[in-house]
Amino acid sequence: LAAPLWRERIVKSLKKNSRLAYARYAQLATVREDGKPSNRTVVYRGFLEDTAKLTFVTDRRSKKVNELGANPWVELCWYFPQTREQYRIAGKMRVVQVGDGDEGLLGARGNAWRRLSDGARGQFAWPFPGLERGRDDSAFSPDPPVTQDQSPLDEFCLLVLDPDHVDHLNLKSNERCVFSRATGDSGGEAWDQLRVNP
């Protein structure tokens, strides 16, 4: 199955913006349990192997994990400053945590853990996110440090976004294209593409 065109465009956007570390940051919107929106910055960690699914990581104690448990539908807004492109990517987000029944996704979780820096891994050993901070800052410097040789901590989760709608806006060329996942003639996955006004 050929990769959808929007995936190829994201790969090109990442390459053209590679000198900007923050070009891997995107805004993820979820729905809180009270029905109100919740938004935060996440770091893109790559496509899941050769699929069109995007990956991110999070702490299972974060509010977003509960929000995704109640409603897995999300939208990601991702801006590339060098090329002046915006992608809005909507779909279902899967939370892959310790004990997940999918061995392939557990393997991807382990790979994501090993690719993190020691400092990023150490954050999963920090105190519970969102609670009042105490006076003892030693809790934010785990001793011994958390290394890639250790199994992923239980708090570490892989997020896998399976898009069904991608809206690509290029502000340099004033072009906009909307991609929607559909079922192909043979019953397989296909993507409809529509050029629209910016």
Side-chain angles (χ1 to χ4, degrees):
L1 182 64
L5 179 59
W6 64 263
R7 185 190 191 278
E8 295 173 22
R9 288 186 180 186
I10 287 179
V11 169
K12 287 180 184 175
S13 299
L14 282 162
K15 188 173 184 179
K16 290 178 181 177
N17 288 267
S18 61
R19 67 180 186 86
L20 305 173
Y22 55 83
R24 299 178 74 81
Y25 303 166
Q27 314 320 305
L28 175 66
T30 56
V31 180
R32 295 189 330 210
E33 291 179 8
D34 62 5
K36 295 179 181 177
S38 184
N39 196 8
R40 82 283 293 151
T41 302
V42 292
V43 181
Y44 166 74
R45 300 292 177 176
F47 283 99
L48 182 65
E49 299 172 358
D50 294 328
T51 71
K53 297 176 182 179
L54 299 93
T55 64
F56 312 88
V57 300
T58 194
D59 191 310
R60 76 172 179 175
R61 302 168 295 176
S62 69
K63 289 183 180 179
K64 77 173 93 45
V65 171
N66 288 335
E67 292 165 1
L68 291 168
N71 183 348
W73 291 100
V74 302
E75 184 164 287
L76 188 80
C77 188
W78 196 356
Y79 184 69
F80 291 91
Q82 186 70 36
T83 52
R84 296 180 58 209
E85 294 172 280
Q86 174 185 271
Y87 293 87
R88 289 174 51 206
I89 304 170
K92 278 189 173 181
M93 186 77 83
R94 172 140 181 206
V95 180
V96 182
Q97 47 190 313
V98 65
D100 193 288
D102 187 316
E103 290 298 322
L105 288 177
L106 279 178
R109 175 180 174 262
N111 291 337
W113 172 258
R114 286 184 288 279
R115 285 192 299 266
L116 293 177
S117 68
D118 286 352
R121 275 188 294 274
Q123 292 176 9
F124 293 94
W126 287 1
F128 203 107
L131 296 183
E132 184 176 354
R133 186 170 180 149
R135 295 175 186 256
D136 181 9
D137 282 346
S138 67
F140 298 95
S141 301
D143 188 23
V146 181
T147 67
Q148 70 179 19
D149 300 327
Q150 293 176 250
S151 295
L153 297 180
D154 289 354
E155 290 75 17
F156 177 75
C157 297
L158 179 69
L159 298 178
V160 180
L161 174 55
D162 187 8
D164 66 1
H165 185 88
V166 178
D167 187 328
H168 176 218
L169 173 64
N170 186 317
L171 294 169
K172 278 189 176 178
S173 63
N174 290 320
E175 292 190 59
R176 183 177 172 198
C177 194
V178 176
F179 301 88
S180 301
R181 187 164 57 187
T183 303
D185 295 336
S186 60
E189 182 180 286
W191 285 87
D192 293 332
Q193 177 180 342
L194 180 65
R195 291 181 69 213
V196 297
N197 294 328

